[in-house]
Structures are given as structure tokens and as C-alpha cells.
Amino acid sequence: MADILGSFEQAVLLAIVRLADGAYGRAILKEVAVRLDRDVAAGAVQATLERLERKGLVRSRLGSGTPIRDGRARRFYTVLPEGLRALNDARKTHDSVWRGFTRPLKARG
Amino acid sequence: MPNPPEVAHAILRALLPADARESVSGDLLEEYRDSRVPAAGELRADLWYWRQVGGIWLRDYWWLVVPAVLVLVVGDIFNTFRAPSGASYLDGLPKIVPAAISPLGVVFLLALATAYGNWRTQRWGGGFVAALGVSVIVWLFMAAWGSATFYPFAQVQQSNPYWVQAWHWSTHRAAPPTVLGLNPDTPDETFLRWIFWDNVGALIIGGIAMLVASFVFGGIGAILGEIRSHWRRAAISPE
């Protein structure tokens, strides 16, 4: 099995899956912030996207800009089959680790 | 439409590699205009923007800041804590050891930061921003370190012959230098007061030296970048 994805990497990959054709930098940043319910640094998302691309889990392409960003190009991301396999492996590991525990956990005594 | 702080924006564009420059700066600009300014106003949005630029810088260059800080801290410790005779504990070691934990070590790291920044961004500004950022953070850390350690270190120094001799020599010179017409080194100056101003002077001179080094190395990187671009253009269209 390949390296297990970190939780932030999973959040970023799942954001790309959810956003589908609309998965570009800023949209991914907002989606991750919503799912993690906290402010997220743009640098953290950018570094994670670069790392995922180096690992061969996602692919990117430059797309059109919009007036609100003064026409600057947007970089769109797509999850590759290897990325989906990594996500499924991470899910399997997570479920295996938590198997047998009720949620939420309660303190004894 | 509102715009983020120009200086922060310029630093960001100098900081990013070529393939990320347009998209990442565009993402931050879109978030700034679409979410941050409407939600919190321009001032808070500007602060947010600065934090994002700082975060991106730190993610790329923290590995240069940490050794630079360590070099100065370890150097300061060995300079303060000496053998009872006043000799340094580094005496007798190969010369590279004291050199590495001296300001020379920081100069080397600034040169490395410039080279890495230039290589990474393929722009001379990238190297300059890298070195300047390292200089600023290291200087701020040393100001905090100096403030925190001044008094406890001075208690150790004032009973060591090396420091006592330095204090005596400094305050009894025949022609002491003056700064803006002031001469803090007078024979009646206490050790504590003398070492305080010595530390302040070191901080000021260290800061200026790092700033100058950043400009010099950044400038060298710029010249090399221009030469490299010229060669590339000549290779593409030799006529």
C-alpha cells in the first residue's frame, strides 16, 4: 500500500473531487475551510496541491481568468486514478482504526 | 475594485515560481476582493493579505531562518560563557567551527537564500526577497533574544576577565569614538551600562550588515539572472 494520506491532504483531495470542474485554487481553499470549519492559510493549500501533483495524485492545467482577479489565469486541478486509490486506502485505514468504537468516545468512570 | 497592499503584492509576485505566479496571486486577489473586504473591511483584509504572503514566504524559507538563528544564538552563548581565564571554549578547534557560528555563518546563509530564491523563482527579485526576509526575521529574533538574555548574561560576563578587560579598555581609551556627538564610553560608566550599549550597537550594526548583504547578494543574483536570460535569448535567436 502506498503512503497513507495526511488528513489535510485528504481534505484537499476531497475538495477537488467535490468541486469537479470548478476545482481551482481559491475554490479549493474555500471548500477546505468550510469542511474543516476553520480559516486555512492559502500557502498551506498551495503547498499541498504542489505536493499532491509531485506524487502523481492530481493533475493541473491553466484555465481562463476572471475580471475579479484582473484576468489572471486560474489553475484547475483533477484527481487522477492514483489519487482516488489513495483516498480509498485512507478511508479503509480510517474505518479499520475506528472499528468497534462508538462515536463520540466517552470517558470511563 | 479594492486592491491589496502594493508592497505585499509585489513581494508575493517576487516570491512565487513562474508557473504559480499568475494563478496564486490571482487566487489571493479574488479571495481578497470577493470575501475579505466585504466581510471585514479593507484594513483587516490588508492584514489578512500580509499574513498570507508571510505564510507563503515562511513555508518556502523556514529552513534557512532556523539555522541562521541557531548560528547567532550559539555564537552569542560561546561569546558570553568563557573559561575562567577569559579564553573561548572554541579555542583549539578547527577554524571552520568558530567561523560557522560567527556572523560569517549568517552571511553564508544569506548567500544561500539568495541563490535558492533566484533558482526557484527564476527572477532576481526572488533571491532578494528570500535574503531580505531571512534578515528581517533573524534580526527581530535577535532583538528579542538580546532583551531576554541581557541581564542574566551580564551577571556572568561581569565576573569574567575577558569582559572586564574589554569594558576597562573601552571606557579608558585615549580617543574613544563618538556617535552623533555622544560618547557613551566614559571611565565612570558602569559595566552594566557599557554592556547594554555594546549589545545595542551590535544589534544595529548586525541589522545594517544583513541588509547590505541582502542587497549585495540580491544584486549579484540579478546580474547573473540577466546574463542567463541574455544567453538564452541569444541561443534561441542567434541572428
Side-chain angles (χ1 to χ4, degrees), chain B residues 63-64 67-68 71 96 99-116 131 134 209-210 213-214 217:
Chain B
W63 60 279
L64 286 159
V71 157
I96 192 152
I101 58 169
S102 74
L104 276 178
V106 178
V107 169
F108 168 76
L109 287 166
L110 287 178
L112 188 62
T114 309
Y116 177 68
V134 171
M210 284 195 291
S214 301
F217 291 129

Side-chain angles (χ1 to χ4, degrees), chain B residues 72 102-104 106-108 110-111 128 131-132 134-136 138-139 201-218:
Chain B
L72 290 173
S102 74
L104 276 178
V106 178
V107 169
F108 168 76
L110 287 178
F128 175 65
L132 191 64
V134 171
S135 298
V136 168
V138 166
W139 189 87
L203 197 61
I204 292 170
I205 291 168
I208 293 170
M210 284 195 291
L211 209 61
V212 167
S214 301
F215 276 97
V216 166
F217 291 129

Side-chain angles (χ1 to χ4, degrees), chain A residues 2-99:
Chain A
D3 292 339
I4 298 297
L5 293 171
S7 56
F8 196 78
E9 288 177 319
Q10 291 178 50
V12 169
L13 276 173
L14 288 168
I16 298 172
V17 172
R18 277 200 186 90
L19 291 166
D21 290 341
Y24 70 99
R26 190 238 174 170
I28 296 168
L29 173 69
K30 285 180 74 69
E31 178 67 22
V32 169
V34 163
R35 294 294 162 178
L36 295 182
D37 194 27
R38 61 175 173 86
D39 226 359
V40 170
V45 172
Q46 184 57 32
T48 303
L49 288 167
E50 285 172 7
R51 192 166 57 248
L52 292 172
E53 195 160 14
R54 274 199 307 272
K55 286 183 179 180
L57 304 183
V58 302
R59 181 183 58 218
S60 72
R61 59 170 179 85
L62 277 180
S64 61
T66 54
I68 199 167
R69 44 197 291 144
D70 289 349
R72 284 173 209 171
R74 290 174 291 177
R75 186 170 284 279
F76 289 84
Y77 291 84
T78 313
V79 181
L80 295 172
E82 193 55 48
L84 293 174
R85 264 196 291 278
L87 275 171
N88 288 328
D89 286 344
R91 175 85 179 261
K92 217 185 291 180
T93 303
H94 178 269
D95 289 346
S96 170
V97 166
W98 275 91
R99 193 169 299 129

Side-chain angles (χ1 to χ4, degrees), chain B residues 17-209:
Chain B
D19 58 353
R21 201 165 292 136
E22 289 301 303
S23 55
V24 173
S25 64
D27 287 337
L28 284 183
L29 182 62
E30 184 180 334
E31 175 70 7
Y32 177 87
R33 285 172 170 171
D34 195 42
S35 290
R36 300 289 162 167
V37 172
E42 272 202 58
L43 182 61
R44 286 186 117 133
D46 287 353
L47 287 172
W48 170 86
Y49 196 90
W50 270 111
R51 278 204 313 275
Q52 301 311 304
V53 174
I56 290 171
W57 186 95
L58 208 54
R59 245 175 207 91
D60 291 329
Y61 296 110
W62 68 269
W63 60 279
L64 286 159
V65 171
V66 170
V69 163
L70 280 175
V71 157
L72 290 173
V73 165
V74 170
D76 190 37
I77 288 172
F78 274 103
N79 197 30
T80 300
F81 296 91
R82 292 172 168 264
S85 64
S88 169
Y89 288 113
L90 298 176
D91 287 350
L93 291 176
K95 282 192 169 29
I96 192 152
V97 175
I101 58 169
S102 74
L104 276 178
V106 178
V107 169
F108 168 76
L109 287 166
L110 287 178
L112 188 62
T114 309
Y116 177 68
N118 283 337
W119 171 79
R120 201 177 145 270
T121 62
Q122 294 167 16
R123 290 179 88 172
W124 73 268
F128 175 65
V129 161
L132 191 64
V134 171
S135 298
V136 168
I137 293 176
V138 166
W139 189 87
L140 287 172
F141 181 87
M142 289 314 292
W145 167 263
S147 302
T149 60
F150 161 69
Y151 193 74
F153 278 20
Q155 303 307 303
V156 171
Q157 287 165 317
Q158 68 186 356
S159 54
N160 187 282
Y162 172 87
W163 288 105
V164 170
Q165 193 178 6
W167 165 56
H168 195 262
W169 175 84
S170 206
T171 53
H172 289 81
R173 278 179 284 187
T178 60
V179 177
L180 301 173
L182 299 172
N183 175 23
D185 292 342
T186 55
D188 58 351
E189 193 173 26
T190 62
F191 182 86
L192 214 58
R193 193 180 154 82
W194 171 77
I195 197 79
F196 172 78
W197 286 110
D198 188 63
N199 282 350
V200 169
L203 197 61
I204 292 170
I205 291 168
I208 293 170

